[in-house]
C-alpha cells in the first residue's frame, strides 16, 4: 500500500483511499488543514509578487512539453492508476491519459500564442496621435477543485493553463481520486516547474472552502456538482473570476431517416462510457415514432453485450460506480421510473463491487428523476415523440443546458434543431459526449459558468491590459 505525503508541508493526517471495485485500500493520502492552506497561499502570493521569479513564456512551454513526454513514457502506469482509483475501464483510462498528454502540449502552444491586439485610434481628433494596444497578464493565484470522473485529464485542464499563463495554482483533487492529480504535478515538477507554482492539497470540504474563499485567490476553477459549486461561488471574495463546470442531462434526438446502423454504437458509447459518470453522457433520447421501435431494439442488443466488471481488465467496457451509495441511488431512480410506467428492457439490477447493470428504459414519464435530473450512472431512457418540435421541447424541458445531439439525414432539419435546442454545443449525427480538448466546453443555466477547453481557460486566467502612448 502506498503512503502519499504532501510536498507543501506535513500535517500527518492521512485518509485511506479505497478502490471502487473490490474496496481494497490502495493508498493512504495525507490531508491538508487550514493552517497549511494559509502557508501555501502566503508562499504563492510572495512568489507571484516577485517578478524576478516569474518564468518567461518559452520556459513555461518547455516545462509543459517535457511533462508531456514524461507522461507519454509512463502512459500505461498512469492509465492503470486511473482505472484502480476511479473505476474507469483500462481502455478508456489509456485514452484519458493520452488526451492529457495532448492537453499539456496544447497548453504549451497556446501559452506562446496568446496575445493582445492593436486598438484603433483613428476615429476621433481626440484619439489622433496615439498608439494603443493590449497585452495579456496572469491574473494571479488560482484555486482549482477537481472531479473524480476524469482524474488525470480534468486536472490537466485546470493546471496546465495556469502554468502556461504564469499563475500559481493550488488544486484540491476529488477525495476519491487524488493519486492521478499527484502524479500530474509530480511530472511537472520533474520537468522543471519550481515548487509552489503548482501545489496539490487533498483536503476535506470545510478546508476547501477556506481555500476558495480566501481573498488572495484571483481565479476559482471548479469541476463537480452544481450544488457544491454554486454554493462555493456565493462565498468567494469580491473580484474573483470563476469558471464552473457542472452536470447535465444530455438530450439526443433521433429523427426519421437517421442511419441507425452507424448511430447506435455511438449512442451506446456515449451513454455507458465510464458507467455513465460523465457530465454530458447520453441520458435522454427522443426518437420519432417511425424509428423508435427499431432504435430500442438495436440499442438493447448493444447494451446486452456490454462487459461489466473489473476496470483493470482489458475486456471490461463498464466499470463500477464511484461509491456504493451512488449505485444504490441509481437503482432507486430506475425503480421509481419503472413504478411510474417506464418499460425496463435491459439491466435494472445492482451487481457486485459497486457495479450497476447497464440499463435501458423506454418511455419513462416526464416527471421521473431519470428524465429531470442527472443520473450519472449507466442508465439511458428512450422516449417516443410525434414531431421534431416535440422532441426539441422535451429536450429543453430541464434546467440543464450543456451538450446535445440531433441525428438526422436531413441537413435542414439538423440545423433547425441545432438552433433551437437549449445547449452550449450541439453535435450532429454523433453522441452528446464528444469532446476534443481545444474546443469550447461548458454549460449554461445551472450547468455551469464560463468556458473550459484549454485555450479558453488560458484566456480566462489572464487579464487584458491596455497601453496607450503618443505616436507621430
Amino acid at each position: 500500500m502506498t503512503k502519499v505525503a504532501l510536498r507543501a508541508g506535513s500535517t500527518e493526517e492521512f485518509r485511506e483511499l479505497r478502490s471502487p471495485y473490490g474496496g481494497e485500500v490502495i493508498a493512504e493520502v495525507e490531508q491538508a488543514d487550514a493552517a497549511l492552506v494559509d502557508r501555501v497561499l502566503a508562499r504563492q502570493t510572495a512568489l507571484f509578487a516577485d517578478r524576478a521569479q516569474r518564468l518567461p513564456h518559452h520556459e513555461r512551454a518547455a516545462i509543459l512539453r517535457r511533462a508531456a513526454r514524461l507522461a507519454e513514457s509512463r502512459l500505461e502506469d498512469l492509465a492503470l492508476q486511473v482505472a484502480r482509483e476511479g473505476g474507469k475501464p483500462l481502455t478508456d483510462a489509456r485514452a484519458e491519459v493520452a488526451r492529457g498528454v495532448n492537453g499539456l502540449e496544447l497548453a504549451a502552444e497556446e501559452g506562446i500564442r496568446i496575445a493582445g491586439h492593436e486598438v484603433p485610434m483613428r476615429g476621433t481628433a481626440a484619439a489622433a496621435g496615439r498608439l494603443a494596444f493590449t497585452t495579456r497578464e496572469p491574473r494571479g493565484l488560482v484555486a482549482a477543485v477537481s472531479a473524480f470522473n476524469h482524474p488525470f485529464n480534468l486536472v490537466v485542464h485546470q493546471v496546465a493553463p495556469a502554468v502556461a499563463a504564469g499563475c500559481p495554482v493550488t488544486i484540491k483533487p476529488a477525495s476519491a481520486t487524488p493519486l492521478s492529480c499527484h502524479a500530474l504535478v509530480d511530472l511537472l515538477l520533474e520537468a522543471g516547474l519550481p515548487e509552489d507554482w503548482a501545489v496539490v492539497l487533498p483536503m476535506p470540504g470545510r478546508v476547501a472552502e477556506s481555500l476558495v474563499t480566501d481573498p488572495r485567490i484571483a481565479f476559482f476553477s471548479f469541476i463537480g456538482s452544481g450544488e457544491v459549486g454554486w454554493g462555493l461561488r456565493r462565498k468567494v471574495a469580491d473580484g474573483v473570476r470563476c469558471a464552473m463546470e457542472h452536470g447535465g442531462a444530455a438530450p439526443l434526438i433521433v429523427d426519421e431517416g437517421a442511419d441507425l446502423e452507424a448511430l447506435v454504437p455511438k449512442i451506446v458509447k456515449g451513454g455507458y462510457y465510464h458507467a455513465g459518470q460523465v457530465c454530458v453522457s447520453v441520458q435522454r433520447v427522443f426518437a420519432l415514432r417511425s424509428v423508435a421501435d427499431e432504435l430500442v431494439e438495436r440499442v438493447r442488443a448493444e447494451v446486452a453485450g456490454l462487459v461489466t466488471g473489473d476496470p483493470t481488465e482489458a475486456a471490461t467496457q463498464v466499470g463500477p460506480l464511484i461509491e456504493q451509495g451512488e449505485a444504490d441511488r441509481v437503482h432507486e431512480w430506475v425503480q421509481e421510473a419503472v413504478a411510474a410506467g417506464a418499460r425496463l428492457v435491459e439491466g435494472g439490477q445492482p451487481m457486485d463491487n459497486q457495479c450497476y447493470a447497464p440499463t435501458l428504459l423506454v418511455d419513462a414519464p416526464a416527471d421521473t428523476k431519470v428524465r429531470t435530473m442527472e443520473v450519472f450512472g449507466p442508465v439511458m431512457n428512450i422516449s417516443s415523440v410525434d414531431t421534431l418540435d416535440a422532441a426539441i421541447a422535451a429536450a429543453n424541458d430541464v434546467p440543464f443546458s450543456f451538450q446535445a445531439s440531433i441525428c438526422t439525414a436531413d441537413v435542414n432539419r439538423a440545423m433547425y434543431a441545432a438552433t433551437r435546442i437549449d445547449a452550449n454545443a450541439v453535435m450532429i449525427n454523433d453522441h452528446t459526449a464528444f469532446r476534443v480538448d481545444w474546443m469550447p466546453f461548458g454549460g449554461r443555466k445551472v450547468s455551469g459558468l464560463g468556458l473550459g477547453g484549454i485555450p479558453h481557460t488560458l484566456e480566462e486566467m489572464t487579464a487584458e491590459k491596455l497601453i496607450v502612448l503618443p505616436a507621430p
Side-chain angles (χ1 to χ4, degrees):
M1 180 183 64
T2 305
K3 200 159 190 175
V4 182
L6 295 173
R7 285 178 174 268
S10 180
T11 63
E12 298 189 359
E13 287 188 31
F14 286 81
R15 178 182 181 271
E16 286 187 346
L17 180 68
R18 294 181 178 273
S19 168
Y21 187 90
E24 70 275 11
V25 178
I26 57 176
E28 288 186 349
V29 181
E30 191 171 12
Q31 304 292 295
D33 57 19
L36 179 56
V37 169
D38 181 68
R39 293 198 300 274
V40 167
L41 293 182
R43 294 201 303 266
Q44 289 184 325
T45 299
L47 181 66
F48 187 71
D50 184 357
R51 289 181 175 267
Q53 294 194 66
R54 295 191 189 180
L55 300 175
H57 288 80
H58 67 89
E59 288 189 23
R60 294 179 230 152
I63 289 167
L64 288 163
R65 291 193 192 101
R66 286 195 293 269
R69 298 288 71 78
L70 289 169
E72 189 173 45
S73 71
R74 301 168 194 174
L75 190 147
E76 193 64 21
D77 289 341
L78 291 167
L80 185 60
Q81 184 167 264
V82 168
R84 290 187 69 209
E85 70 171 340
K88 178 175 287 185
L90 185 57
T91 299
D92 297 325
R94 289 173 179 142
E96 177 182 337
V97 177
R99 281 182 60 189
V101 170
N102 177 256
L104 290 165
E105 295 168 337
L106 182 62
E109 295 304 315
E110 293 293 335
I112 292 172
R113 276 198 291 263
I114 193 166
H117 62 279
E118 183 182 350
V119 179
M121 301 296 281
R122 298 179 288 272
T124 67
R130 290 176 173 82
L131 174 67
F133 59 92
T134 66
T135 61
R136 298 201 73 89
E137 299 181 336
R139 287 194 181 277
L141 275 60
V142 173
V145 176
S146 202
F148 77 86
N149 53 335
H150 308 291
F152 189 82
N153 195 41
L154 288 182
V155 175
V156 168
H157 273 259
Q158 294 173 295
V159 171
V163 172
C167 296
V169 55
T170 299
I171 184 160
K172 178 210 174 296
S175 297
T177 55
L179 302 183
S180 294
C181 181
H182 271 289
L184 173 66
V185 172
D186 286 349
L187 290 171
L188 288 165
L189 297 176
E190 185 178 344
L193 185 70
E195 296 274 358
D196 286 333
W197 281 100
V199 178
V200 183
L201 292 181
M203 62 186 87
R206 67 182 184 280
V207 179
E209 184 171 324
S210 73
L211 167 67
V212 303
T213 60
D214 193 289
R216 290 170 287 190
I217 296 298
F219 189 90
F220 172 41
S221 170
F222 181 89
I223 304 174
S225 78
E227 181 181 1
V228 174
W230 291 117
L232 287 173
R233 180 178 176 264
R234 286 190 284 269
K235 298 177 182 179
V236 299
D238 292 348
V240 175
R241 296 297 183 103
C242 298
M244 315 191 73
E245 185 182 307
H246 302 318
L252 183 147
I253 297 171
V254 182
D255 192 20
E256 298 168 340
D259 183 352
L260 298 187
E261 184 173 355
L263 177 62
V264 165
K266 295 178 182 178
I267 292 178
V268 172
K269 181 64 176 179
Y272 300 94
Y273 164 66
H274 197 14
Q277 297 170 116
V278 179
C279 57
V280 287
S281 174
V282 178
Q283 178 179 327
R284 301 177 301 134
V285 178
F286 302 100
L288 276 289
R289 291 195 188 279
S290 61
V291 298
D293 289 346
E294 182 183 355
L295 176 67
V296 167
E297 183 49 37
R298 283 178 177 268
V299 173
R300 186 208 62 75
E302 289 265 345
V303 173
L306 292 173
V307 178
T308 303
D310 185 345
T312 64
E313 296 290 337
T316 298
Q317 295 167 288
V318 180
L321 278 295
I322 194 65
E323 295 176 352
Q324 184 58 49
E326 288 299 291
D328 295 341
R329 176 192 58 77
V330 168
H331 187 51
E332 290 173 4
W333 288 19
V334 170
Q335 289 183 308
E336 178 208 47
V338 172
R343 181 160 57 96
L344 176 65
V345 298
E346 191 60 44
Q349 64 273 348
M351 302 174 69
D352 293 337
N353 296 307
Q354 295 178 195
C355 293
Y356 194 80
T359 297
L360 178 62
L361 298 168
V362 175
D363 290 330
D367 60 350
T368 55
K369 291 185 178 68
V370 298
R371 284 279 301 270
T372 60
M373 300 174 70
E374 182 181 33
V375 175
F376 224 60
V379 178
M380 184 190 302
N381 176 74
I382 299 176
S383 298
S384 300
V385 292
D386 292 319
T387 65
L388 182 57
D389 282 327
I392 294 168
N396 292 342
D397 191 26
V398 291
F400 305 101
S401 178
F402 212 137
Q403 294 200 166
S405 295
I406 168 66
C407 303
T408 179
D410 186 327
V411 66
N412 292 320
R413 287 169 71 84
M415 292 307 299
Y416 177 88
T419 57
R420 288 163 175 77
I421 294 172
D422 192 0
N424 211 50
V426 179
M427 310 301 151
I428 296 176
N429 291 327
D430 207 340
H431 62 69
T432 59
F434 173 77
R435 182 187 185 186
V436 290
D437 298 295
W438 55 87
M439 72 187 229
F441 185 80
R444 301 177 181 178
K445 299 195 293 189
V446 301
S447 289
L449 178 70
L451 281 178
I454 284 171
H456 308 278
T457 300
L458 176 57
E459 186 166 319
E460 295 241 14
M461 289 181 177
T462 58
E464 200 166 30
K465 175 180 280 186
L466 176 69
I467 298 173
V468 183
L469 67 158

